[in-house]
Amino acid sequence: MQSEEQSTSRILSILRELIETLVFTALIFFLVRTFLFENYRVIGRSMEPTLENDQFLVVNKLGYRLYEPQRGDIIVFHERADEDRKLIKRVIGLPGEVVEIRHGEVFVDNLPLDEPYLADPGTSSQSPTSIPEGHYFVLGDHRTNSSDSRSWGTLPEERILGKAWISYWPPSLWGIIPHETYGDGL
């Protein structure tokens, strides 16, 4: 039969191990969420038909620490006016390029951009915009319902959180987020 002292010692040992495990788990969760990945909920219809309202995504935050955003990447970033609000758009123009929109058709350095992911490119036009170093030109895929670089200018790189990577909710949309690749010239 165990003494009362041995029972108390055993309980304290188990409690200590449990607390250490919980603290270690919380630390790992914090490090992963801070530096590697973050979940994001699409709010609104600005990325339809590629992404839907209330779709849940995993955002890869590590990738852009190793390489630059590319044309076609779908990115999550902090809004300029509200640091706590995050938006999601597609990278269209890269630093040093000139983006122009003519009756809904996007031109980068005077070359038309093939955008098969658009359901309706709209009919808007925008005069040529030179993209400074360290900035990107981003657009929503639902061009007639998106606040993007057409209205608030180029996006500074330091506002970018990461690249949309995986969709995990709803289950019917589970999978890797498609990255659009463009042909020669763009």
Side-chain angles (χ1 to χ4, degrees):
M1 190 177 225
Q2 290 184 348
S3 71
E4 190 174 314
E5 189 176 300
Q6 287 175 325
S7 292
T8 302
S9 177
R10 181 165 161 73
I11 290 171
L12 289 175
S13 176
I14 291 171
L15 187 58
R16 179 176 176 229
E17 285 184 35
L18 179 63
I19 290 171
E20 286 176 351
T21 301
L22 290 174
V23 168
F24 185 67
T25 302
L27 179 64
I28 289 173
F29 176 78
F30 173 76
L31 290 173
V32 166
R33 182 150 166 94
T34 301
F35 297 107
L36 302 176
F37 304 103
E38 183 174 318
N39 60 322
Y40 176 79
R41 177 179 166 212
V42 177
I43 298 174
R45 305 196 180 286
S46 71
M47 284 302 293
E48 288 182 347
T50 308
L51 302 174
E52 296 180 5
N53 187 42
D54 287 330
Q55 186 172 350
F56 285 80
L57 312 173
V58 173
V59 176
N60 178 345
K61 294 170 70 173
L62 177 63
Y64 292 147
R65 295 174 196 257
L66 304 173
Y67 58 88
E68 301 291 319
Q70 300 298 306
R71 186 182 344 278
D73 288 357
I74 296 175
I75 61 169
V76 174
F77 56 93
H78 290 288
E79 181 184 37
R80 288 182 186 207
D82 181 357
E83 187 67 29
D84 293 331
R85 186 169 179 220
K86 297 171 188 167
L87 301 177
I88 187 164
K89 304 292 178 202
R90 185 181 299 274
V91 174
I92 298 297
L94 306 174
E97 295 180 334
V98 175
V99 174
E100 181 179 4
I101 303 172
R102 304 177 200 152
H103 307 289
E105 187 173 9
V106 175
F107 292 81
V108 178
D109 289 341
N110 222 21
L111 296 171
L113 188 64
D114 181 30
E115 298 183 283
Y117 45 84
L118 297 180
D120 178 11
T123 59
S124 69
S125 293
Q126 181 170 332
S127 59
T129 300
S130 295
I131 305 167
E133 287 302 315
H135 285 71
Y136 295 85
F137 194 93
V138 297
L139 295 174
D141 287 357
H142 188 192
R143 300 286 160 79
T144 59
N145 187 30
S146 179
S147 173
D148 47 39
S149 287
R150 295 173 296 174
S151 57
W152 38 259
T154 59
L155 175 68
E157 184 173 18
E158 62 268 10
R159 301 195 79 65
I160 299 173
L161 291 172
K163 180 179 178 178
W165 184 40
I166 295 173
S167 172
Y168 66 92
W169 193 262
S172 61
L173 299 175
W174 189 90
I176 302 291
I177 302 296
H179 171 83
E180 188 64 36
T181 53
Y182 301 92
D184 294 342
L186 287 181

